[in-house]
Amino acid sequence: MQSTKRIRCVGSAVAGALLGLIAVLAGPGSAQAEPSPTTVGEVTGFTADGPVYRLTAGQAVARVGFVSQETFRIELAPDGAFSDPTGADIVLPQGSPPATRWRDKGDRYELSTSKVTLHAYKSPLRFALYRADGRRLWAETQGLTWTQDRMTQTLARGGDEQFYGAGMQNGRGNTSHRGRTVEVGVDYNWNDGGHPNSVPFYLSSAGYGVYRNTYAPNTYVFGEPVTTTAQEQRFDAYYFAGPGAKDVIGQYTKLTGKPFMPPVYGLEIGDADCYLHNANRGERHTLDALKVADGYVENDMPNGWMLVNDGYGCGYENLAETAQGLQQRKMQLGLWTEDGLDKLADQVKAGQRVAKLDVAWVGAGYKFALDGCKDAYAGIEANSTARGFTWAPESWSGAQRCGVQWSGDQSGTWEYIRWQIPTYAGASMSGLAYTTGDVDGIFGGSPKTYTRDLQWKMFLPVTMTMDGWAASDKQPFRYGEPYTSINRDYLKLHEALLPYIYTHAHEATKTGIGLARPLVLEYPDDARAATDAAKYEFLSGEDFLVAPVHRDATQRGGIYLPKGTWIDYWSGRTHEGPVTVDDYSAPLDTLPLFVRAGATVPMWPGGIRSYADRTAESPLAWDIYPQGRSSFTLYEDDGVTREHRAGKYASQRADVEAPRRGAGDVTVRIGTSKGSFTGKQTARPYRFTVHTGDAPSAVELDDRTLPRLTSKAAYEAAAQGWFYDRDDRGGVVEVKTRTLRTDRAFALELEDTAAVGGAVPGAAAVVAVPAGQEPGAGAPGKIAVDVTAGSRDATGVSVSLAAPAGWQVTPAATVDRVPAGTTRRVEVGVTPAKDAEPGEETLTATVRYAAAGQDRTAAQRFAVGVMPEPPAADAWASDLVWLTSTNGWGPPERDRSNGESGAGDGHTLTLAGTTYEKGIGAHADSGIEVYLGGRCTAFTADVGIDDEIDGYGEVAFSVEADGKVLWTSPKLSGASATVPAEVDVTGARHVRLRITDTNGSKTGDHGDWAAARFRCG
């Protein structure tokens, strides 16, 4: 779309010229001064009518109405005439109001329930809210003020008061809004800084929340004082008082609607594309979607549903046949409602079960958007037995009860991953339980960013992959190895966790709290949880802490773990919080993931591809991290119909008793499954994974001793029994039972074992691998492994490496003893295969040792950089292996200008009328890394913006060697002369060629490294 990029640039210029022309025509004196705002005056009248109170202040009338003991509404009409544009759209019927009382205290009226008292000061009219114990929650510093089109409330800000909410705020929201201005309204900016799916609700750490009952855009300035403004000449706000954020969110969602309960297939990943006359893919037909569905089946990957017409102007055909074919593949049919909902009834009868709403639904205002969500949800339910399930990129308060809020169309980059992390957890603070973004965006992307993005989104409740706007399809099986296997593993992990995720979905219907949560929601007393220390991580439920990798790196730093014991999900290493974890080893297949000690996580074992793979004989697994007393109550229903609303569901509670720390027995009690639903298991086998770090002396099931199995293979073959696996995550007890009736409780006793962390806490050794190790393909080398003993000596320490096929590993000699608290470096001989691909490769270091009377194992996954043979003579940069390459638009090109989103679609490199046969064509922001191995002395090139841009763009070029900037060009535009680069790179091992945007607009930033060459040898 070369011409498109030019048009965008010209369009921006024309828009700027038009704005300038308007300013000139308007002239310096033509703008009318903003009229001074009016502030409500003294109270001139007061009436009480049950839970509703009226206060008159001249022409203005305020009305206070109590909804519950802790929820009330304040309205103000400057002309005395109340209005409510939202009507019954958002606020739900709330039942009988509470008992209230009022008192005239001279300077104020006090309006009270048993829980709160609202002070209404008389001169002038101002409000302040207090709890029954006298603690002030908020107070106006001046009365409500208004202009012709704005109404503002002004509140005092507490010394350490923090603020959250306002719906989906891209790039922020999971940490405090204090000191920031937050806009609430549609801006069609779906990137960092935008605010799609805004909600006019915020909450404060002081113990209150506010919902502005309006369709008007809002602006919240959380400064000193706090000012909250709606663009209308009326005031209408509901206030919620509660001991914490969870309670406030619960009150808000009781008022506006609890999050809906999705079907279980809606919690599996979805797939979207256009399958009818798709210009990006050539001629196709709707039934071709089944071929893509087959790809999921053949690659053993979960997928719950497919949108088959997701593209502008894309229709459909053979709808019923397509729906039937998808159902045969254990998927459901979805459609994009680009052209409205008129045909929804027939589409649902043909098999549609998912409705994605177009952004056009907000064109006529928020009410239209909200009505679209509700109508699509209701349309699915009116024409099938299924649950309503919708997606929308723009919505408003109340939409949480009918659909998923999705952040819109973005491009797959590392930056995309970065800013999305705080977005969805932050949205949970506004009662939005289901928020997400497309895996790796719908434009651009790469195999690596796709894999990294999919990893962490598997800990959101919902997600989707969208294909039709990128250069090639973006299903998780499209990229080859190792990406396909890694993506499969994370998709299946999400599938295995569906009992945990589905239970949280049910809880959201009661509490309003979604699965993805900011740390501050669970740790409100932790001051760091409100800050940037926790910005790029989130909680998935109470038990998982997720810290996504959001840059092209194999380590992750700055992972903040709050108070408590946290266990590395992959290695079993324990961390005592509060602590910040740096240098976390995160090769491509490893998402930094921690589990809270005390977690009791229900799972579906067996690596299933679909919830429909579950049978009456399928086991239920519990993954347990014992510490003190803990519990989890599993929720189950049929997963797809609405029968749960009539009480057809079941719950089963697991209780765990363990030492708070160190040695002791661990008891797991599984209660009876209470309730019934169609398809409920009346009996099932159970599996348990208990993370103890020490083997028990015996395991009993209801006082009957279970057999101890001597190997993993024997355990898998047995009908019941237990096995202690010292090599699994620091030491895990695995237990399996025969089929047990679900209407009977049972107890599992692990005798003489330990809480998570082992009988001697801290005795376990830690294995770490220094970063930056670079073995050469086919060249003998060594990998350094550091072994740090814990609180006890590590003896008989042997270090081994698991490496890819074709690599040779020479075992290191056994180390007799590593004294407690010390570190010993062990070097293991490694020779990569001669044909090993240059780039990142993942290995595993395993350390076997004895400590504190137990044989133990510690393991660590890590990445090394396999290096190509460095150049032995002069070499063109475009002919070398590129270790990494990032680009602002499509891939960077070898010996061509930057083209579109595909490789090889650029043109001849041309700078200032001179053409070049060799070079690199890229687009800001771009970075290309090559390996020189210290064999080169100089780099030369001609740099500039390619002539094809016709004078637009502005960039700077730079050359880095081993992390140090050696040379930077001046700012260059499309009209600049070519600049020669000659850079001394003597001794450099790694050189990176960068092109950076310099004017905030990447339109036309086509930079050329023409005749780029290294002098080597």
Coordinates of all heavy atoms in Angstrom, one line a residue, residues 370-410:
L370 N -24.7 0.8 23.1 CA -25.2 -0.1 24.2 C -26.4 -0.9 23.7 O -26.5 -2.1 24.0 CB -25.5 0.7 25.4 CG -25.9 0.0 26.7 CD1 -24.8 -1.0 27.1 CD2 -26.2 1.0 27.8
D371 N -27.3 -0.3 23.0 CA -28.4 -1.0 22.5 C -28.0 -2.1 21.5 O -28.6 -3.2 21.5 CB -29.4 -0.1 21.7 CG -30.2 0.8 22.7 OD1 -30.2 0.5 23.9 OD2 -30.8 1.8 22.3
G372 N -26.9 -1.8 20.7 CA -26.4 -2.9 19.8 C -25.9 -4.1 20.6 O -26.2 -5.2 20.2
C373 N -25.2 -3.8 21.6 CA -24.7 -4.9 22.5 C -25.8 -5.7 23.0 O -25.9 -7.0 23.0 CB -23.8 -4.4 23.6 SG -23.2 -5.6 24.7
K374 N -26.8 -5.0 23.6 CA -27.9 -5.7 24.3 C -28.8 -6.5 23.2 O -29.2 -7.6 23.5 CB -28.8 -4.7 25.1 CG -28.0 -4.2 26.3 CD -28.9 -3.4 27.2 CE -29.3 -2.0 26.5 NZ -30.1 -1.2 27.5
D375 N -29.0 -5.9 22.1 CA -29.9 -6.5 21.1 C -29.2 -7.7 20.5 O -29.9 -8.7 20.2 CB -30.2 -5.5 20.0 CG -31.1 -4.4 20.4 OD1 -31.7 -4.5 21.6 OD2 -31.3 -3.4 19.7
A376 N -27.9 -7.7 20.2 CA -27.2 -8.8 19.7 C -27.2 -10.0 20.7 O -27.4 -11.1 20.3 CB -25.8 -8.4 19.3
Y377 N -26.9 -9.6 21.9 CA -26.9 -10.6 23.0 C -28.3 -11.3 23.1 O -28.4 -12.5 23.1 CB -26.6 -9.9 24.3 CG -26.5 -10.8 25.5 CD1 -25.3 -11.4 25.9 CD2 -27.6 -11.0 26.4 CE1 -25.2 -12.2 27.0 CE2 -27.5 -11.7 27.5 CZ -26.3 -12.3 27.9 OH -26.3 -13.1 29.0
A378 N -29.4 -10.4 23.2 CA -30.7 -11.0 23.3 C -31.1 -11.7 22.0 O -31.9 -12.7 22.1 CB -31.7 -9.8 23.5
G379 N -30.6 -11.3 20.9 CA -31.0 -12.0 19.6 C -30.5 -13.4 19.6 O -31.2 -14.3 19.1
I380 N -29.3 -13.6 20.1 CA -28.8 -15.0 20.1 C -29.6 -15.8 21.1 O -29.9 -17.0 20.7 CB -27.3 -14.9 20.6 CG1 -26.4 -14.3 19.5 CG2 -26.8 -16.4 20.9 CD1 -25.0 -14.1 19.9
E381 N -30.0 -15.3 22.2 CA -30.8 -16.0 23.2 C -32.2 -16.3 22.7 O -32.8 -17.3 23.0 CB -30.7 -15.4 24.5 CG -29.3 -15.3 25.1 CD -29.2 -15.1 26.6 OE1 -30.2 -14.7 27.2 OE2 -28.1 -15.3 27.1
A382 N -32.8 -15.3 22.0 CA -34.2 -15.5 21.6 C -34.3 -16.5 20.5 O -35.4 -17.0 20.3 CB -34.7 -14.1 21.1
N383 N -33.3 -16.8 19.8 CA -33.4 -17.7 18.6 C -32.6 -19.0 18.8 O -32.3 -19.7 17.8 CB -32.9 -17.0 17.4 CG -33.8 -15.8 17.0 OD1 -34.9 -16.0 16.5 ND2 -33.4 -14.6 17.4
S384 N -32.1 -19.3 20.0 CA -31.4 -20.5 20.3 C -31.4 -20.8 21.8 O -31.9 -20.0 22.6 CB -29.9 -20.4 19.8 OG -29.2 -19.5 20.7
T385 N -30.9 -21.9 22.2 CA -30.7 -22.2 23.6 C -29.4 -21.8 24.1 O -29.1 -22.0 25.3 CB -30.8 -23.8 23.8 OG1 -29.8 -24.4 23.1 CG2 -32.2 -24.3 23.3
A386 N -28.6 -21.1 23.3 CA -27.2 -20.7 23.7 C -27.3 -19.4 24.5 O -28.3 -18.7 24.6 CB -26.4 -20.4 22.4
R387 N -26.1 -19.1 25.1 CA -26.0 -17.8 25.8 C -25.5 -16.8 24.9 O -24.8 -17.0 24.0 CB -24.9 -18.0 26.9 CG -25.2 -19.1 27.9 CD -24.0 -19.3 28.9 NE -24.2 -20.6 29.6 CZ -23.3 -21.1 30.4 NH1 -22.2 -20.4 30.7 NH2 -23.5 -22.3 31.0
G388 N -26.0 -15.5 25.1 CA -25.5 -14.4 24.3 C -24.1 -14.2 24.5 O -23.5 -14.4 25.6
F389 N -23.4 -13.9 23.4 CA -21.9 -13.7 23.4 C -21.6 -12.7 22.3 O -21.6 -13.0 21.1 CB -21.2 -15.0 23.2 CG -19.7 -15.0 23.4 CD1 -19.2 -14.5 24.6 CD2 -18.9 -15.4 22.4 CE1 -17.8 -14.5 24.8 CE2 -17.5 -15.3 22.5 CZ -17.0 -14.9 23.7
T390 N -21.2 -11.5 22.7 CA -20.9 -10.4 21.7 C -19.5 -9.8 22.0 O -19.0 -9.9 23.1 CB -21.9 -9.3 21.8 OG1 -21.7 -8.5 22.9 CG2 -23.3 -9.9 21.8
W391 N -19.0 -9.2 21.0 CA -17.7 -8.4 21.1 C -17.9 -7.0 20.6 O -18.6 -6.9 19.6 CB -16.6 -9.1 20.3 CG -16.0 -10.3 20.9 CD1 -16.7 -11.4 21.3 CD2 -14.6 -10.6 21.1 NE1 -15.8 -12.4 21.8 CE2 -14.5 -11.9 21.7 CE3 -13.4 -9.8 20.9 CZ2 -13.3 -12.4 22.1 CZ3 -12.2 -10.4 21.3 CH2 -12.1 -11.7 21.8
A392 N -17.3 -6.0 21.2 CA -17.5 -4.7 20.7 C -16.2 -3.9 21.0 O -15.6 -4.0 22.0 CB -18.6 -4.0 21.4
P393 N -15.8 -3.0 20.0 CA -14.6 -2.2 20.2 C -14.9 -0.8 20.9 O -14.0 -0.1 21.2 CB -14.1 -2.0 18.8 CG -15.4 -1.9 18.0 CD -16.3 -2.9 18.7
E394 N -16.1 -0.4 21.0 CA -16.5 0.8 21.7 C -17.8 0.5 22.4 O -18.8 0.0 21.8 CB -16.7 1.9 20.7 CG -15.5 2.3 19.8 CD -14.5 3.1 20.6 OE1 -14.7 3.3 21.8 OE2 -13.4 3.5 20.0
S395 N -17.9 0.9 23.7 CA -19.1 0.7 24.5 C -19.2 1.7 25.6 O -18.5 2.7 25.6 CB -19.1 -0.8 25.0 OG -18.0 -1.1 25.8
W396 N -19.9 1.3 26.6 CA -20.2 2.3 27.7 C -20.6 1.5 28.9 O -20.7 0.3 28.9 CB -21.4 3.2 27.2 CG -21.5 4.5 28.0 CD1 -22.5 4.9 28.8 CD2 -20.5 5.6 28.0 NE1 -22.3 6.2 29.3 CE2 -21.1 6.6 28.8 CE3 -19.3 5.8 27.4 CZ2 -20.4 7.9 29.0 CZ3 -18.6 7.0 27.6 CH2 -19.2 8.0 28.4
S397 N -20.9 2.2 30.0 CA -21.4 1.5 31.2 C -22.6 0.6 30.9 O -23.5 1.0 30.1 CB -21.8 2.6 32.3 OG -20.7 3.2 32.8
G398 N -22.7 -0.5 31.4 CA -23.7 -1.5 31.2 C -23.4 -2.5 30.2 O -24.0 -3.6 30.2
A399 N -22.4 -2.3 29.3 CA -22.0 -3.2 28.3 C -21.4 -4.5 28.9 O -21.3 -5.5 28.3 CB -21.0 -2.6 27.3
Q400 N -20.9 -4.4 30.2 CA -20.3 -5.6 30.8 C -21.3 -6.7 31.0 O -21.0 -7.9 31.1 CB -19.7 -5.2 32.2 CG -20.7 -5.0 33.3 CD -21.2 -3.5 33.3 OE1 -20.8 -2.7 32.5 NE2 -22.0 -3.2 34.3
R401 N -22.6 -6.4 30.9 CA -23.6 -7.5 31.1 C -24.0 -8.1 29.8 O -24.8 -9.1 29.8 CB -24.8 -6.9 31.8 CG -25.6 -5.8 31.1 CD -26.7 -5.2 32.0 NE -27.6 -4.4 31.3 CZ -27.8 -3.1 31.6 NH1 -27.1 -2.5 32.6 NH2 -28.7 -2.4 31.0
C402 N -23.4 -7.7 28.7 CA -23.8 -8.3 27.4 C -22.7 -8.7 26.5 O -22.9 -9.2 25.4 CB -24.8 -7.5 26.7 SG -24.3 -5.8 26.3
G403 N -21.4 -8.3 26.8 CA -20.4 -8.6 25.9 C -18.9 -8.4 26.3 O -18.7 -7.9 27.4
V404 N -18.0 -8.8 25.4 CA -16.6 -8.6 25.6 C -16.2 -7.3 25.0 O -16.7 -6.9 24.0 CB -15.8 -9.7 24.8 CG1 -14.3 -9.5 24.8 CG2 -16.1 -11.1 25.4
Q405 N -15.4 -6.5 25.8 CA -14.9 -5.3 25.3 C -13.5 -5.5 24.7 O -12.6 -5.9 25.5 CB -14.8 -4.2 26.4 CG -16.2 -3.7 26.8 CD -17.1 -4.6 27.5 OE1 -16.7 -5.2 28.5 NE2 -18.3 -4.8 27.1
W406 N -13.3 -5.2 23.5 CA -12.1 -5.5 22.7 C -11.5 -4.2 22.3 O -12.2 -3.2 21.9 CB -12.5 -6.4 21.6 CG -11.7 -6.4 20.3 CD1 -10.5 -6.9 20.0 CD2 -12.2 -5.8 19.1 NE1 -10.2 -6.6 18.7 CE2 -11.2 -6.0 18.1 CE3 -13.4 -5.2 18.7 CZ2 -11.4 -5.6 16.8 CZ3 -13.6 -4.8 17.4 CH2 -12.6 -5.0 16.5
S407 N -10.1 -4.1 22.3 CA -9.5 -2.8 22.2 C -9.3 -2.3 20.8 O -8.6 -1.3 20.6 CB -8.1 -2.8 22.9 OG -7.3 -3.8 22.4
G408 N -9.8 -3.0 19.7 CA -9.8 -2.4 18.4 C -8.6 -2.9 17.6 O -7.9 -3.9 17.9
D409 N -8.4 -2.2 16.5 CA -7.4 -2.6 15.4 C -6.0 -2.1 15.7 O -5.8 -0.9 15.7 CB -7.9 -2.2 14.1 CG -9.2 -2.8 13.7 OD1 -9.6 -3.8 14.3 OD2 -9.9 -2.2 12.8
Q410 N -5.1 -3.0 16.0 CA -3.7 -2.5 16.2 C -2.7 -3.4 15.4 O -3.1 -4.4 14.8 CB -3.4 -2.6 17.7 CG -4.2 -1.7 18.6 CD -5.2 -2.4 19.4 OE1 -5.3 -3.7 19.4 NE2 -6.1 -1.7 20.0

